[in-house]
Amino acid sequence: MSEQQKNPQVVYDDAAEEAKFLAARKAQIEEDMQKPFDPEAVLEVRHLRKCFPLKKTITGKVTQELIAVDDVSFKLKAGETLGIVGESGCGKTTMGRAILKLHQPSGGQIIFNGQDITNYTSSQMRDIRKEMQIIFQDPYSSLPPRSTVGGILSEPVEVHKIVPKDQIKDYVLDLMDKCGLRDYYYERYPHEFSGGQRQRICIARALSVNPKLVICDEPVSALDVSIQAQIINLLKKLQKEMNLTYVFISHDLSVVKFISDKIGVMYLGAMMEFGSKEDIFSNPLHPYTQALFSAIPYPDPDVKMNRIVLGGDIPSPANPPKGCRFHTRCPYAKEICKHVTPEYREYEPGHCAACHKLNEDWEND
């Protein structure tokens, strides 16, 4: 244990601590970037970072930026589902879009199917696109209103030459059947369908090119609860049939628990905790994860819930707090949390978190 951890009254030099942290992180990133790719991983993300410029000088130099995703790493094997949870604005969707190169990453590596695609150009990504797809959150705005269902589903099949032209309609009808869509929907337009039916069309469109990876960006949040169950069951069925790998982004913890194999908890652009579903739900380590889980409603009015109420608002990602990002709302925050960024470390096999309190408890044990 360091002297600063033993004695919370020690005066911290913020500039020195930040420089020390950045140097250590840079060394770790450089070391990780040199490691060989995992041959079993369909998707491997290393220290992913995405920033958006807010202010620039006349010469174009960025003077202020919004850090949407900061130092996120994980691996996914074929057929696995990673659930990403966190409050609105924590960077979940931006992370998903950066993985697909819809946003150009500001740093880190994205290894898909054994290829480092981080710096791929648009033309290089064209052949990769059919293997990486996304299901958008809003089924109403994500479908072109002037195209029929048949046209929406046929276009990607034709562009990527999935089947010969004379077989496209039969291929699309078979795909519609797998996704629970009737054959006569083929000639209909999106405005003629309910939200659940539209989301089925979005799922069919994503799967029309036989992808290996699908980013599910809150695909059920805009739907009624009964329809949510149908869509989740459909996603699980299709995953089993087609050996799909999902990154499932959601703020609904019950849905994430049902569909996920691994779970990542994000706060203010950073990964606070990561582990298997069993580890995260049975033994949440980070105070933020514990607070999120305490808010899950229990369907028994006689059971008293021990809610952990977090004070304050989420800080701005354009001006994140020094030290631990969560210290402004954490009930266990100490002086060190305000000045020193905690180390993201493994506490159990495959179960990682970033918290000074955990480090202290672990060392004391």
Side-chain angles (χ1 to χ4, degrees):
M1 186 184 300
S2 69
E3 184 62 31
Q4 290 173 335
Q5 288 174 302
K6 292 178 182 177
N7 182 8
Q9 301 304 317
V10 171
V11 176
Y12 291 88
D13 183 341
D14 286 359
E17 292 293 344
E18 184 68 11
K20 182 179 177 182
F21 165 73
L22 291 175
R25 185 168 81 164
K26 183 179 179 181
Q28 184 64 52
I29 291 174
E30 289 176 353
E31 180 183 341
D32 290 345
M33 294 295 191
Q34 301 303 317
K35 291 179 180 179
F37 303 155
D38 187 343
E40 295 183 358
V42 170
L43 176 67
E44 189 173 353
V45 175
R46 297 178 176 179
H47 303 285
L48 182 65
R49 182 179 172 87
K50 177 58 186 175
C51 305
F52 296 98
L54 294 179
K55 292 182 180 179
K56 293 183 179 180
T57 63
I58 256 178
T59 58
K61 182 181 178 182
V62 177
T63 57
Q64 185 181 6
E65 59 185 10
L66 184 148
I67 305 173
V69 180
D70 191 19
D71 204 13
V72 171
S73 302
F74 61 83
K75 295 180 185 178
L76 271 181
K77 296 180 181 179
E80 287 187 331
T81 300
L82 168 64
I84 300 293
V85 299
E87 295 169 291
S88 296
C90 70
K92 305 186 298 294
T93 295
T94 303
M95 184 202 70
R97 288 172 177 258
I99 290 171
L100 291 175
K101 298 292 296 294
L102 299 179
H103 293 319
Q104 181 61 35
S106 304
Q109 276 183 320
I110 303 167
I111 298 105
F112 175 70
N113 207 26
Q115 302 178 65
D116 184 353
I117 65 170
T118 313
N119 298 313
Y120 272 23
T121 62
S122 297
S123 58
Q124 289 175 310
M125 282 299 298
R126 187 176 179 84
D127 292 333
I128 306 292
R129 289 286 177 211
K130 64 181 180 181
E131 299 183 355
M132 307 172 72
Q133 290 292 304
I134 184 169
I135 301 170
F136 293 100
Q137 177 178 356
D138 186 1
Y140 293 89
S141 62
S142 60
L143 294 173
R146 297 184 181 180
S147 297
T148 62
V149 172
I152 292 169
L153 301 182
S154 298
E155 183 179 8
V157 176
E158 183 177 355
V159 168
H160 290 285
K161 299 181 174 62
I162 304 300
V163 296
K165 281 192 176 183
D166 59 346
Q167 298 177 22
I168 289 179
K169 184 170 183 179
D170 290 338
Y171 176 86
V172 169
L173 290 173
D174 180 61
L175 180 64
M176 289 171 61
D177 181 62
K178 287 182 179 179
C179 295
L181 298 167
R182 305 289 181 84
D183 287 359
Y184 60 84
Y185 292 174
Y186 189 88
E187 299 295 339
R188 290 191 176 183
Y189 291 85
H191 72 270
E192 300 179 66
F193 298 97
S194 66
Q197 290 171 323
R198 291 189 191 202
Q199 198 61 290
R200 288 176 184 269
I201 297 169
C202 293
I203 292 171
R205 178 177 60 182
L207 302 184
S208 64
V209 290
N210 294 323
K212 293 182 179 178
L213 171 71
V214 180
I215 307 291
C216 305
D217 184 12
E218 302 200 34
V220 297
S221 63
L223 307 177
D224 293 336
V225 174
S226 59
I227 306 301
Q228 286 184 12
Q230 295 176 21
I231 298 300
I232 292 298
N233 287 328
L234 173 63
L235 288 170
K236 286 184 70 72
K237 178 177 80 75
L238 292 170
Q239 182 179 38
K240 187 176 181 180
E241 291 176 357
M242 304 175 69
N243 196 31
L244 298 169
T245 304
Y246 291 149
V247 175
F248 193 92
I249 297 167
S250 179
H251 58 265
D252 190 326
L253 294 170
S254 59
V255 170
V256 169
K257 183 178 181 180
F258 180 73
I259 198 172
S260 301
D261 300 303
K262 299 176 180 177
I263 294 176
V265 182
M266 290 186 68
Y267 180 81
L268 210 63
M271 193 74 80
M272 295 286 104
E273 187 168 354
F274 182 91
S276 68
K277 173 177 65 178
E278 292 76 17
D279 287 340
I280 295 291
F281 274 88
S282 64
N283 183 30
L285 297 176
H286 199 280
Y288 178 61
T289 310
Q290 295 169 3
L292 283 181
F293 287 1
S294 76
I296 300 175
Y298 196 79
D300 186 345
D302 296 326
V303 174
K304 185 178 179 181
M305 296 179 62
N306 296 318
R307 288 288 306 275
I308 300 174
V309 181
L310 299 177
D313 299 320
I314 301 178
S316 169
N319 186 27
K322 295 178 181 177
C324 177
R325 294 164 186 255
F326 186 56
H327 84 261
T328 58
R329 305 173 70 197
C330 181
Y332 307 108
K334 298 183 177 180
E335 191 64 24
I336 187 175
C337 303
K338 302 176 184 178
H339 304 275
V340 184
T341 303
E343 177 189 359
Y344 184 73
R345 57 182 286 189
E346 189 175 49
Y347 292 92
E348 300 170 344
H351 193 176
C352 306
C355 178
H356 287 300
K357 180 179 181 296
L358 283 174
N359 289 344
E360 185 177 327
D361 294 344
W362 200 263
E363 290 175 6
N364 290 338
D365 289 344

